[in-house]
Amino acid sequence: MDSNFSHKVWQEIELSKMVKEGIPFPMIADPGGKIGTLYGVYDDEGGVDVRGRFLIDPNGVLQAMEVLTPPVGRNVMEVLRQLKAFQHHQKTGELMPSGWQPGKPTLPPGTEALKRAGHIWEIWKVENAF
Amino acid sequence: MGVMVGKPAPDFTAKAYHNGKEKEVKLADYRGKWVMLCFYPADFTCV
């Protein structure tokens, strides 16, 4: 939402104290919430963009999104987990079951239990979700 | 208007603050890379 002048002041006064050299990626100004409106995260009553997060792949296709109201912050580790999962899927065609983390088993295409409905229980256990 | 997973992310061009300077950012210029696009209500918000 804020202007680039405001981004500069925030960077210099506060963010540079959290991250050496400041935030390394572009901080976009979105006057009037035009981009926020495109992505469905502009709250016209409050006049702000709410906390939206969009993961866009190298072909420009939206793969994942998360939207929160202002009081609660996001979880960077979850974004990285999703990024790794989508990258692994796009590279290998494997499916990434619920609770997947790097190092945990995936579901390769051709897996027996995937061929008939009702057999995933044989290879995926509730503990895999945690 | 709206966004949908599995569909192209809406393109936009905007002014951005980056490395101490103002520059223009166009989403389409990031083809070939993964992009995380984040919105937040305001600078100096605390979470």
Side-chain angles (χ1 to χ4, degrees):
Chain A
M1 287 302 307
D2 285 323
S3 67
N4 284 322
F5 178 71
S6 168
H7 291 342
K8 176 174 161 42
V9 173
W10 191 23
Q11 180 91 280
E12 289 173 0
I13 289 186
E14 189 168 46
L15 298 180
S16 56
K17 292 176 181 134
M18 299 176 180
V19 180
K20 209 176 168 221
E21 315 280 329
I23 298 291
F25 45 77
M27 298 170 75
I28 295 169
D30 186 22
K34 285 197 185 121
I35 305 170
T37 301
L38 268 182
Y39 281 79
V41 296
Y42 180 65
D43 169 13
D44 54 2
E45 269 179 40
V48 296
D49 288 332
V50 295
R51 297 190 192 281
R53 178 224 88 194
F54 298 84
L55 200 52
I56 301 164
D57 79 8
N59 295 317
V61 174
L62 178 63
Q63 292 293 349
M65 55 186 173
E66 177 183 42
V67 183
L68 292 81
T69 54
V72 174
R74 284 160 282 218
N75 184 338
V76 177
M77 296 312 286
E78 172 58 8
V79 185
L80 292 174
R81 186 194 73 87
Q82 291 179 12
L83 174 64
K84 285 173 187 161
F86 282 112
Q87 286 177 332
H88 189 87
H89 167 71
Q90 291 191 351
K91 203 168 127 192
T92 64
E94 294 173 6
L95 304 179
M96 319 306 286
S98 175
W100 181 84
Q101 296 277 354
K104 280 190 166 187
T106 61
L107 300 172
T111 301
E112 266 321 294
L114 295 180
K115 290 181 181 164
R116 287 163 298 138
H119 289 267
I120 288 296
W121 68 271
E122 293 167 8
I123 55 170
W124 188 89
K125 310 294 173 196
V126 170
E127 302 86 80
N128 290 54
F130 301 97
Chain B
M1 191 68 73
V3 285
M4 185 67 198
V5 289
K7 304 278 188 239
D11 194 26
F12 59 84
T13 302
K15 295 257 190 264
Y17 178 74
H18 189 212
N19 290 336
K21 289 191 281 269
E22 190 170 68
K23 72 170 196 180
E24 196 163 271
V25 166
K26 184 170 165 55
L27 181 63
D29 290 345
Y30 289 82
R31 284 299 129 77
K33 293 180 175 181
W34 282 86
V35 172
M36 187 176 71
L37 177 65
C38 274
F39 294 85
Y40 59 95
D43 291 338
F44 293 100
T45 50
C46 55
V47 303

PDB file of all heavy atoms in Angstrom, chain A residues 17-56:
ATOM      1  N   LYS A  17      17.768  -2.847  10.912  1.00  0.00           N
ATOM      2  CA  LYS A  17      18.239  -3.328  12.221  1.00  0.00           C
ATOM      3  C   LYS A  17      17.936  -4.813  12.408  1.00  0.00           C
ATOM      4  O   LYS A  17      18.483  -5.457  13.290  1.00  0.00           O
ATOM      5  CB  LYS A  17      17.595  -2.513  13.344  1.00  0.00           C
ATOM      6  CG  LYS A  17      18.095  -1.077  13.334  1.00  0.00           C
ATOM      7  CD  LYS A  17      17.423  -0.200  14.366  1.00  0.00           C
ATOM      8  CE  LYS A  17      17.954   1.207  14.260  1.00  0.00           C
ATOM      9  NZ  LYS A  17      16.893   2.207  14.282  1.00  0.00           N
ATOM     10  N   MET A  18      17.003  -5.344  11.592  1.00  0.00           N
ATOM     11  CA  MET A  18      16.664  -6.770  11.677  1.00  0.00           C
ATOM     12  C   MET A  18      17.467  -7.565  10.661  1.00  0.00           C
ATOM     13  O   MET A  18      17.865  -8.701  10.912  1.00  0.00           O
ATOM     14  CB  MET A  18      15.181  -6.994  11.359  1.00  0.00           C
ATOM     15  CG  MET A  18      14.209  -6.320  12.281  1.00  0.00           C
ATOM     16  SD  MET A  18      12.530  -6.605  11.650  1.00  0.00           S
ATOM     17  CE  MET A  18      11.567  -5.730  12.870  1.00  0.00           C
ATOM     18  N   VAL A  19      17.643  -6.990   9.465  1.00  0.00           N
ATOM     19  CA  VAL A  19      18.333  -7.674   8.362  1.00  0.00           C
ATOM     20  C   VAL A  19      19.473  -6.770   7.923  1.00  0.00           C
ATOM     21  O   VAL A  19      19.232  -5.636   7.500  1.00  0.00           O
ATOM     22  CB  VAL A  19      17.368  -7.892   7.157  1.00  0.00           C
ATOM     23  CG1 VAL A  19      18.086  -8.596   6.013  1.00  0.00           C
ATOM     24  CG2 VAL A  19      16.134  -8.658   7.576  1.00  0.00           C
ATOM     25  N   LYS A  20      20.691  -7.282   8.028  1.00  0.00           N
ATOM     26  CA  LYS A  20      21.854  -6.488   7.639  1.00  0.00           C
ATOM     27  C   LYS A  20      21.709  -6.075   6.167  1.00  0.00           C
ATOM     28  O   LYS A  20      21.297  -6.894   5.345  1.00  0.00           O
ATOM     29  CB  LYS A  20      23.120  -7.331   7.833  1.00  0.00           C
ATOM     30  CG  LYS A  20      24.327  -6.500   8.152  1.00  0.00           C
ATOM     31  CD  LYS A  20      25.534  -7.366   8.442  1.00  0.00           C
ATOM     32  CE  LYS A  20      26.754  -6.466   8.455  1.00  0.00           C
ATOM     33  NZ  LYS A  20      27.896  -7.032   7.818  1.00  0.00           N
ATOM     34  N   GLU A  21      22.015  -4.851   5.848  1.00  0.00           N
ATOM     35  CA  GLU A  21      21.878  -4.322   4.470  1.00  0.00           C
ATOM     36  C   GLU A  21      20.421  -4.103   4.082  1.00  0.00           C
ATOM     37  O   GLU A  21      20.128  -3.689   2.970  1.00  0.00           O
ATOM     38  CB  GLU A  21      22.522  -5.231   3.399  1.00  0.00           C
ATOM     39  CG  GLU A  21      23.906  -5.756   3.741  1.00  0.00           C
ATOM     40  CD  GLU A  21      25.004  -4.743   3.503  1.00  0.00           C
ATOM     41  OE1 GLU A  21      24.847  -3.911   2.590  1.00  0.00           O
ATOM     42  OE2 GLU A  21      25.990  -4.771   4.249  1.00  0.00           O
ATOM     43  N   GLY A  22      19.469  -4.445   4.940  1.00  0.00           N
ATOM     44  CA  GLY A  22      18.056  -4.217   4.631  1.00  0.00           C
ATOM     45  C   GLY A  22      17.444  -5.341   3.817  1.00  0.00           C
ATOM     46  O   GLY A  22      18.104  -6.297   3.449  1.00  0.00           O
ATOM     47  N   ILE A  23      16.157  -5.196   3.535  1.00  0.00           N
ATOM     48  CA  ILE A  23      15.401  -6.223   2.807  1.00  0.00           C
ATOM     49  C   ILE A  23      15.939  -6.329   1.371  1.00  0.00           C
ATOM     50  O   ILE A  23      16.007  -5.329   0.666  1.00  0.00           O
ATOM     51  CB  ILE A  23      13.902  -5.828   2.759  1.00  0.00           C
ATOM     52  CG1 ILE A  23      13.316  -5.752   4.180  1.00  0.00           C
ATOM     53  CG2 ILE A  23      13.092  -6.786   1.889  1.00  0.00           C
ATOM     54  CD1 ILE A  23      13.192  -7.063   4.884  1.00  0.00           C
ATOM     55  N   PRO A  24      16.320  -7.540   0.926  1.00  0.00           N
ATOM     56  CA  PRO A  24      16.999  -7.666  -0.374  1.00  0.00           C
ATOM     57  C   PRO A  24      16.075  -7.714  -1.597  1.00  0.00           C
ATOM     58  O   PRO A  24      16.569  -7.731  -2.714  1.00  0.00           O
ATOM     59  CB  PRO A  24      17.755  -8.995  -0.234  1.00  0.00           C
ATOM     60  CG  PRO A  24      16.956  -9.785   0.747  1.00  0.00           C
ATOM     61  CD  PRO A  24      16.310  -8.802   1.678  1.00  0.00           C
ATOM     62  N   PHE A  25      14.780  -7.753  -1.389  1.00  0.00           N
ATOM     63  CA  PHE A  25      13.870  -7.851  -2.543  1.00  0.00           C
ATOM     64  C   PHE A  25      13.081  -6.551  -2.715  1.00  0.00           C
ATOM     65  O   PHE A  25      13.034  -5.728  -1.796  1.00  0.00           O
ATOM     66  CB  PHE A  25      12.924  -9.052  -2.381  1.00  0.00           C
ATOM     67  CG  PHE A  25      12.333  -9.176  -1.007  1.00  0.00           C
ATOM     68  CD1 PHE A  25      11.293  -8.346  -0.611  1.00  0.00           C
ATOM     69  CD2 PHE A  25      12.825 -10.104  -0.106  1.00  0.00           C
ATOM     70  CE1 PHE A  25      10.762  -8.447   0.660  1.00  0.00           C
ATOM     71  CE2 PHE A  25      12.299 -10.212   1.176  1.00  0.00           C
ATOM     72  CZ  PHE A  25      11.262  -9.372   1.551  1.00  0.00           C
ATOM     73  N   PRO A  26      12.481  -6.342  -3.902  1.00  0.00           N
ATOM     74  CA  PRO A  26      11.741  -5.091  -4.129  1.00  0.00           C
ATOM     75  C   PRO A  26      10.512  -4.962  -3.220  1.00  0.00           C
ATOM     76  O   PRO A  26       9.786  -5.930  -3.025  1.00  0.00           O
ATOM     77  CB  PRO A  26      11.298  -5.195  -5.599  1.00  0.00           C
ATOM     78  CG  PRO A  26      12.162  -6.243  -6.212  1.00  0.00           C
ATOM     79  CD  PRO A  26      12.511  -7.194  -5.101  1.00  0.00           C
ATOM     80  N   MET A  27      10.311  -3.774  -2.669  1.00  0.00           N
ATOM     81  CA  MET A  27       9.107  -3.469  -1.889  1.00  0.00           C
ATOM     82  C   MET A  27       8.222  -2.581  -2.765  1.00  0.00           C
ATOM     83  O   MET A  27       8.552  -1.436  -3.047  1.00  0.00           O
ATOM     84  CB  MET A  27       9.488  -2.738  -0.605  1.00  0.00           C
ATOM     85  CG  MET A  27      10.375  -3.592   0.300  1.00  0.00           C
ATOM     86  SD  MET A  27      11.044  -2.625   1.668  1.00  0.00           S
ATOM     87  CE  MET A  27       9.587  -2.478   2.719  1.00  0.00           C
ATOM     88  N   ILE A  28       7.115  -3.156  -3.194  1.00  0.00           N
ATOM     89  CA  ILE A  28       6.250  -2.495  -4.173  1.00  0.00           C
ATOM     90  C   ILE A  28       5.319  -1.501  -3.484  1.00  0.00           C
ATOM     91  O   ILE A  28       4.813  -1.763  -2.398  1.00  0.00           O
ATOM     92  CB  ILE A  28       5.421  -3.564  -4.932  1.00  0.00           C
ATOM     93  CG1 ILE A  28       6.357  -4.455  -5.765  1.00  0.00           C
ATOM     94  CG2 ILE A  28       4.345  -2.930  -5.783  1.00  0.00           C
ATOM     95  CD1 ILE A  28       5.687  -5.682  -6.335  1.00  0.00           C
ATOM     96  N   ALA A  29       5.102  -0.359  -4.142  1.00  0.00           N
ATOM     97  CA  ALA A  29       4.083   0.584  -3.678  1.00  0.00           C
ATOM     98  C   ALA A  29       2.779   0.232  -4.398  1.00  0.00           C
ATOM     99  O   ALA A  29       2.797  -0.033  -5.595  1.00  0.00           O
ATOM    100  CB  ALA A  29       4.508   2.009  -4.016  1.00  0.00           C
ATOM    101  N   ASP A  30       1.687   0.217  -3.664  1.00  0.00           N
ATOM    102  CA  ASP A  30       0.399  -0.133  -4.281  1.00  0.00           C
ATOM    103  C   ASP A  30      -0.644   0.934  -3.955  1.00  0.00           C
ATOM    104  O   ASP A  30      -1.612   0.680  -3.236  1.00  0.00           O
ATOM    105  CB  ASP A  30      -0.049  -1.517  -3.781  1.00  0.00           C
ATOM    106  CG  ASP A  30      -1.312  -2.015  -4.494  1.00  0.00           C
ATOM    107  OD1 ASP A  30      -1.604  -1.527  -5.613  1.00  0.00           O
ATOM    108  OD2 ASP A  30      -2.006  -2.885  -3.930  1.00  0.00           O
ATOM    109  N   PRO A  31      -0.428   2.156  -4.483  1.00  0.00           N
ATOM    110  CA  PRO A  31      -1.361   3.240  -4.153  1.00  0.00           C
ATOM    111  C   PRO A  31      -2.777   2.909  -4.624  1.00  0.00           C
ATOM    112  O   PRO A  31      -2.958   2.434  -5.743  1.00  0.00           O
ATOM    113  CB  PRO A  31      -0.793   4.463  -4.894  1.00  0.00           C
ATOM    114  CG  PRO A  31       0.141   3.904  -5.923  1.00  0.00           C
ATOM    115  CD  PRO A  31       0.614   2.575  -5.408  1.00  0.00           C
ATOM    116  N   GLY A  32      -3.734   3.104  -3.724  1.00  0.00           N
ATOM    117  CA  GLY A  32      -5.131   2.824  -4.068  1.00  0.00           C
ATOM    118  C   GLY A  32      -5.460   1.339  -4.068  1.00  0.00           C
ATOM    119  O   GLY A  32      -6.582   0.946  -4.376  1.00  0.00           O
ATOM    120  N   GLY A  33      -4.489   0.503  -3.733  1.00  0.00           N
ATOM    121  CA  GLY A  33      -4.755  -0.938  -3.657  1.00  0.00           C
ATOM    122  C   GLY A  33      -5.077  -1.584  -4.995  1.00  0.00           C
ATOM    123  O   GLY A  33      -5.809  -2.571  -5.060  1.00  0.00           O
ATOM    124  N   LYS A  34      -4.517  -1.043  -6.080  1.00  0.00           N
ATOM    125  CA  LYS A  34      -4.861  -1.582  -7.412  1.00  0.00           C
ATOM    126  C   LYS A  34      -4.407  -3.024  -7.584  1.00  0.00           C
ATOM    127  O   LYS A  34      -5.149  -3.861  -8.102  1.00  0.00           O
ATOM    128  CB  LYS A  34      -4.221  -0.724  -8.508  1.00  0.00           C
ATOM    129  CG  LYS A  34      -4.940   0.585  -8.700  1.00  0.00           C
ATOM    130  CD  LYS A  34      -4.561   1.223 -10.037  1.00  0.00           C
ATOM    131  CE  LYS A  34      -5.197   2.590 -10.159  1.00  0.00           C
ATOM    132  NZ  LYS A  34      -4.226   3.665 -10.334  1.00  0.00           N
ATOM    133  N   ILE A  35      -3.162  -3.317  -7.160  1.00  0.00           N
ATOM    134  CA  ILE A  35      -2.660  -4.692  -7.300  1.00  0.00           C
ATOM    135  C   ILE A  35      -3.401  -5.587  -6.311  1.00  0.00           C
ATOM    136  O   ILE A  35      -3.782  -6.717  -6.642  1.00  0.00           O
ATOM    137  CB  ILE A  35      -1.133  -4.747  -7.084  1.00  0.00           C
ATOM    138  CG1 ILE A  35      -0.434  -3.782  -8.031  1.00  0.00           C
ATOM    139  CG2 ILE A  35      -0.616  -6.164  -7.294  1.00  0.00           C
ATOM    140  CD1 ILE A  35       1.038  -3.576  -7.743  1.00  0.00           C
ATOM    141  N   GLY A  36      -3.626  -5.058  -5.106  1.00  0.00           N
ATOM    142  CA  GLY A  36      -4.385  -5.811  -4.101  1.00  0.00           C
ATOM    143  C   GLY A  36      -5.770  -6.195  -4.617  1.00  0.00           C
ATOM    144  O   GLY A  36      -6.254  -7.306  -4.377  1.00  0.00           O
ATOM    145  N   THR A  37      -6.396  -5.287  -5.336  1.00  0.00           N
ATOM    146  CA  THR A  37      -7.719  -5.571  -5.900  1.00  0.00           C
ATOM    147  C   THR A  37      -7.631  -6.694  -6.932  1.00  0.00           C
ATOM    148  O   THR A  37      -8.456  -7.612  -6.937  1.00  0.00           O
ATOM    149  CB  THR A  37      -8.306  -4.293  -6.554  1.00  0.00           C
ATOM    150  OG1 THR A  37      -8.388  -3.289  -5.542  1.00  0.00           O
ATOM    151  CG2 THR A  37      -9.692  -4.547  -7.139  1.00  0.00           C
ATOM    152  N   LEU A  38      -6.584  -6.642  -7.783  1.00  0.00           N
ATOM    153  CA  LEU A  38      -6.388  -7.705  -8.782  1.00  0.00           C
ATOM    154  C   LEU A  38      -6.302  -9.078  -8.125  1.00  0.00           C
ATOM    155  O   LEU A  38      -6.753 -10.078  -8.671  1.00  0.00           O
ATOM    156  CB  LEU A  38      -5.053  -7.487  -9.510  1.00  0.00           C
ATOM    157  CG  LEU A  38      -4.976  -6.686 -10.782  1.00  0.00           C
ATOM    158  CD1 LEU A  38      -3.534  -6.689 -11.288  1.00  0.00           C
ATOM    159  CD2 LEU A  38      -5.904  -7.246 -11.832  1.00  0.00           C
ATOM    160  N   TYR A  39      -5.674  -9.120  -6.936  1.00  0.00           N
ATOM    161  CA  TYR A  39      -5.439 -10.387  -6.246  1.00  0.00           C
ATOM    162  C   TYR A  39      -6.488 -10.681  -5.166  1.00  0.00           C
ATOM    163  O   TYR A  39      -6.364 -11.649  -4.420  1.00  0.00           O
ATOM    164  CB  TYR A  39      -4.014 -10.411  -5.652  1.00  0.00           C
ATOM    165  CG  TYR A  39      -2.985 -10.721  -6.712  1.00  0.00           C
ATOM    166  CD1 TYR A  39      -2.537  -9.744  -7.604  1.00  0.00           C
ATOM    167  CD2 TYR A  39      -2.509 -12.027  -6.873  1.00  0.00           C
ATOM    168  CE1 TYR A  39      -1.637 -10.038  -8.607  1.00  0.00           C
ATOM    169  CE2 TYR A  39      -1.596 -12.330  -7.879  1.00  0.00           C
ATOM    170  CZ  TYR A  39      -1.167 -11.337  -8.735  1.00  0.00           C
ATOM    171  OH  TYR A  39      -0.273 -11.652  -9.729  1.00  0.00           O
ATOM    172  N   GLY A  40      -7.501  -9.791  -5.062  1.00  0.00           N
ATOM    173  CA  GLY A  40      -8.597 -10.057  -4.122  1.00  0.00           C
ATOM    174  C   GLY A  40      -8.234  -9.868  -2.661  1.00  0.00           C
ATOM    175  O   GLY A  40      -8.862 -10.458  -1.784  1.00  0.00           O
ATOM    176  N   VAL A  41      -7.219  -9.033  -2.374  1.00  0.00           N
ATOM    177  CA  VAL A  41      -6.817  -8.846  -0.978  1.00  0.00           C
ATOM    178  C   VAL A  41      -6.961  -7.388  -0.512  1.00  0.00           C
ATOM    179  O   VAL A  41      -6.520  -7.044   0.585  1.00  0.00           O
ATOM    180  CB  VAL A  41      -5.359  -9.323  -0.711  1.00  0.00           C
ATOM    181  CG1 VAL A  41      -5.243 -10.815  -0.941  1.00  0.00           C
ATOM    182  CG2 VAL A  41      -4.354  -8.559  -1.564  1.00  0.00           C
ATOM    183  N   TYR A  42      -7.588  -6.545  -1.346  1.00  0.00           N
ATOM    184  CA  TYR A  42      -7.753  -5.143  -0.940  1.00  0.00           C
ATOM    185  C   TYR A  42      -9.046  -4.992  -0.142  1.00  0.00           C
ATOM    186  O   TYR A  42     -10.121  -5.374  -0.607  1.00  0.00           O
ATOM    187  CB  TYR A  42      -7.775  -4.226  -2.173  1.00  0.00           C
ATOM    188  CG  TYR A  42      -7.949  -2.776  -1.800  1.00  0.00           C
ATOM    189  CD1 TYR A  42      -6.974  -2.105  -1.066  1.00  0.00           C
ATOM    190  CD2 TYR A  42      -9.098  -2.075  -2.178  1.00  0.00           C
ATOM    191  CE1 TYR A  42      -7.141  -0.784  -0.710  1.00  0.00           C
ATOM    192  CE2 TYR A  42      -9.272  -0.740  -1.830  1.00  0.00           C
ATOM    193  CZ  TYR A  42      -8.289  -0.102  -1.088  1.00  0.00           C
ATOM    194  OH  TYR A  42      -8.448   1.208  -0.732  1.00  0.00           O
ATOM    195  N   ASP A  43      -8.933  -4.459   1.067  1.00  0.00           N
ATOM    196  CA  ASP A  43     -10.091  -4.205   1.927  1.00  0.00           C
ATOM    197  C   ASP A  43     -10.468  -2.737   1.750  1.00  0.00           C
ATOM    198  O   ASP A  43      -9.784  -1.860   2.284  1.00  0.00           O
ATOM    199  CB  ASP A  43      -9.704  -4.521   3.382  1.00  0.00           C
ATOM    200  CG  ASP A  43     -10.748  -4.023   4.368  1.00  0.00           C
ATOM    201  OD1 ASP A  43     -11.865  -3.666   3.953  1.00  0.00           O
ATOM    202  OD2 ASP A  43     -10.431  -3.998   5.574  1.00  0.00           O
ATOM    203  N   ASP A  44     -11.522  -2.479   0.985  1.00  0.00           N
ATOM    204  CA  ASP A  44     -11.811  -1.069   0.674  1.00  0.00           C
ATOM    205  C   ASP A  44     -12.364  -0.312   1.878  1.00  0.00           C
ATOM    206  O   ASP A  44     -12.251   0.898   1.943  1.00  0.00           O
ATOM    207  CB  ASP A  44     -12.690  -0.913  -0.576  1.00  0.00           C
ATOM    208  CG  ASP A  44     -13.970  -1.705  -0.514  1.00  0.00           C
ATOM    209  OD1 ASP A  44     -14.211  -2.362   0.518  1.00  0.00           O
ATOM    210  OD2 ASP A  44     -14.730  -1.675  -1.501  1.00  0.00           O
ATOM    211  N   GLU A  45     -12.933  -1.017   2.868  1.00  0.00           N
ATOM    212  CA  GLU A  45     -13.402  -0.310   4.076  1.00  0.00           C
ATOM    213  C   GLU A  45     -12.224   0.190   4.895  1.00  0.00           C
ATOM    214  O   GLU A  45     -12.198   1.324   5.345  1.00  0.00           O
ATOM    215  CB  GLU A  45     -14.246  -1.246   4.946  1.00  0.00           C
ATOM    216  CG  GLU A  45     -15.722  -1.180   4.606  1.00  0.00           C
ATOM    217  CD  GLU A  45     -16.549  -2.140   5.464  1.00  0.00           C
ATOM    218  OE1 GLU A  45     -16.259  -2.265   6.673  1.00  0.00           O
ATOM    219  OE2 GLU A  45     -17.446  -2.771   4.888  1.00  0.00           O
ATOM    220  N   GLY A  46     -11.244  -0.680   5.088  1.00  0.00           N
ATOM    221  CA  GLY A  46     -10.062  -0.293   5.867  1.00  0.00           C
ATOM    222  C   GLY A  46      -9.056   0.479   5.019  1.00  0.00           C
ATOM    223  O   GLY A  46      -8.151   1.111   5.541  1.00  0.00           O
ATOM    224  N   GLY A  47      -9.203   0.404   3.701  1.00  0.00           N
ATOM    225  CA  GLY A  47      -8.253   1.081   2.814  1.00  0.00           C
ATOM    226  C   GLY A  47      -6.875   0.446   2.840  1.00  0.00           C
ATOM    227  O   GLY A  47      -5.870   1.119   2.635  1.00  0.00           O
ATOM    228  N   VAL A  48      -6.800  -0.866   3.106  1.00  0.00           N
ATOM    229  CA  VAL A  48      -5.496  -1.546   3.149  1.00  0.00           C
ATOM    230  C   VAL A  48      -5.537  -2.869   2.381  1.00  0.00           C
ATOM    231  O   VAL A  48      -6.604  -3.439   2.164  1.00  0.00           O
ATOM    232  CB  VAL A  48      -5.042  -1.873   4.602  1.00  0.00           C
ATOM    233  CG1 VAL A  48      -4.820  -0.592   5.397  1.00  0.00           C
ATOM    234  CG2 VAL A  48      -6.037  -2.791   5.318  1.00  0.00           C
ATOM    235  N   ASP A  49      -4.342  -3.316   1.989  1.00  0.00           N
ATOM    236  CA  ASP A  49      -4.187  -4.688   1.501  1.00  0.00           C
ATOM    237  C   ASP A  49      -4.010  -5.573   2.734  1.00  0.00           C
ATOM    238  O   ASP A  49      -3.154  -5.296   3.577  1.00  0.00           O
ATOM    239  CB  ASP A  49      -2.931  -4.807   0.614  1.00  0.00           C
ATOM    240  CG  ASP A  49      -3.106  -4.127  -0.742  1.00  0.00           C
ATOM    241  OD1 ASP A  49      -4.247  -4.047  -1.230  1.00  0.00           O
ATOM    242  OD2 ASP A  49      -2.092  -3.690  -1.312  1.00  0.00           O
ATOM    243  N   VAL A  50      -4.803  -6.642   2.835  1.00  0.00           N
ATOM    244  CA  VAL A  50      -4.626  -7.556   3.973  1.00  0.00           C
ATOM    245  C   VAL A  50      -3.424  -8.461   3.698  1.00  0.00           C
ATOM    246  O   VAL A  50      -2.781  -8.361   2.654  1.00  0.00           O
ATOM    247  CB  VAL A  50      -5.912  -8.373   4.254  1.00  0.00           C
ATOM    248  CG1 VAL A  50      -7.025  -7.446   4.703  1.00  0.00           C
ATOM    249  CG2 VAL A  50      -6.334  -9.192   3.037  1.00  0.00           C
ATOM    250  N   ARG A  51      -3.123  -9.379   4.644  1.00  0.00           N
ATOM    251  CA  ARG A  51      -1.886 -10.175   4.511  1.00  0.00           C
ATOM    252  C   ARG A  51      -2.072 -11.341   3.544  1.00  0.00           C
ATOM    253  O   ARG A  51      -2.426 -12.441   3.947  1.00  0.00           O
ATOM    254  CB  ARG A  51      -1.427 -10.681   5.889  1.00  0.00           C
ATOM    255  CG  ARG A  51      -1.064  -9.555   6.830  1.00  0.00           C
ATOM    256  CD  ARG A  51      -0.388 -10.000   8.098  1.00  0.00           C
ATOM    257  NE  ARG A  51      -0.342  -8.889   9.033  1.00  0.00           N
ATOM    258  CZ  ARG A  51       0.534  -7.891   8.983  1.00  0.00           C
ATOM    259  NH1 ARG A  51       1.461  -7.864   8.045  1.00  0.00           N
ATOM    260  NH2 ARG A  51       0.495  -6.919   9.864  1.00  0.00           N
ATOM    261  N   GLY A  52      -1.833 -11.071   2.276  1.00  0.00           N
ATOM    262  CA  GLY A  52      -1.945 -12.114   1.248  1.00  0.00           C
ATOM    263  C   GLY A  52      -0.578 -12.584   0.820  1.00  0.00           C
ATOM    264  O   GLY A  52       0.363 -11.800   0.767  1.00  0.00           O
ATOM    265  N   ARG A  53      -0.482 -13.885   0.524  1.00  0.00           N
ATOM    266  CA  ARG A  53       0.803 -14.437   0.064  1.00  0.00           C
ATOM    267  C   ARG A  53       0.530 -15.365  -1.101  1.00  0.00           C
ATOM    268  O   ARG A  53      -0.312 -16.258  -1.009  1.00  0.00           O
ATOM    269  CB  ARG A  53       1.446 -15.186   1.222  1.00  0.00           C
ATOM    270  CG  ARG A  53       2.753 -15.854   0.859  1.00  0.00           C
ATOM    271  CD  ARG A  53       2.778 -17.254   1.442  1.00  0.00           C
ATOM    272  NE  ARG A  53       2.182 -18.186   0.503  1.00  0.00           N
ATOM    273  CZ  ARG A  53       1.815 -19.423   0.795  1.00  0.00           C
ATOM    274  NH1 ARG A  53       1.920 -19.870   2.002  1.00  0.00           N
ATOM    275  NH2 ARG A  53       1.313 -20.210  -0.119  1.00  0.00           N
ATOM    276  N   PHE A  54       1.209 -15.106  -2.221  1.00  0.00           N
ATOM    277  CA  PHE A  54       0.962 -15.830  -3.471  1.00  0.00           C
ATOM    278  C   PHE A  54       2.272 -16.414  -3.975  1.00  0.00           C
ATOM    279  O   PHE A  54       3.283 -15.716  -4.057  1.00  0.00           O
ATOM    280  CB  PHE A  54       0.367 -14.869  -4.507  1.00  0.00           C
ATOM    281  CG  PHE A  54      -0.954 -14.301  -4.058  1.00  0.00           C
ATOM    282  CD1 PHE A  54      -1.011 -13.194  -3.235  1.00  0.00           C
ATOM    283  CD2 PHE A  54      -2.143 -14.910  -4.425  1.00  0.00           C
ATOM    284  CE1 PHE A  54      -2.227 -12.689  -2.774  1.00  0.00           C
ATOM    285  CE2 PHE A  54      -3.369 -14.420  -3.979  1.00  0.00           C
ATOM    286  CZ  PHE A  54      -3.410 -13.305  -3.154  1.00  0.00           C
ATOM    287  N   LEU A  55       2.222 -17.704  -4.308  1.00  0.00           N
ATOM    288  CA  LEU A  55       3.411 -18.396  -4.815  1.00  0.00           C
ATOM    289  C   LEU A  55       3.183 -18.634  -6.302  1.00  0.00           C
ATOM    290  O   LEU A  55       2.229 -19.326  -6.688  1.00  0.00           O
ATOM    291  CB  LEU A  55       3.569 -19.713  -4.058  1.00  0.00           C
ATOM    292  CG  LEU A  55       4.922 -20.400  -4.046  1.00  0.00           C
ATOM    293  CD1 LEU A  55       6.046 -19.466  -3.614  1.00  0.00           C
ATOM    294  CD2 LEU A  55       4.859 -21.609  -3.099  1.00  0.00           C
ATOM    295  N   ILE A  56       4.062 -18.021  -7.132  1.00  0.00           N
ATOM    296  CA  ILE A  56       3.873 -18.010  -8.580  1.00  0.00           C
ATOM    297  C   ILE A  56       5.039 -18.756  -9.223  1.00  0.00           C
ATOM    298  O   ILE A  56       6.197 -18.476  -8.908  1.00  0.00           O
ATOM    299  CB  ILE A  56       3.806 -16.548  -9.088  1.00  0.00           C
ATOM    300  CG1 ILE A  56       2.636 -15.823  -8.394  1.00  0.00           C
ATOM    301  CG2 ILE A  56       3.652 -16.500 -10.609  1.00  0.00           C
ATOM    302  CD1 ILE A  56       2.686 -14.318  -8.514  1.00  0.00           C
TER     303      ILE A  56
END
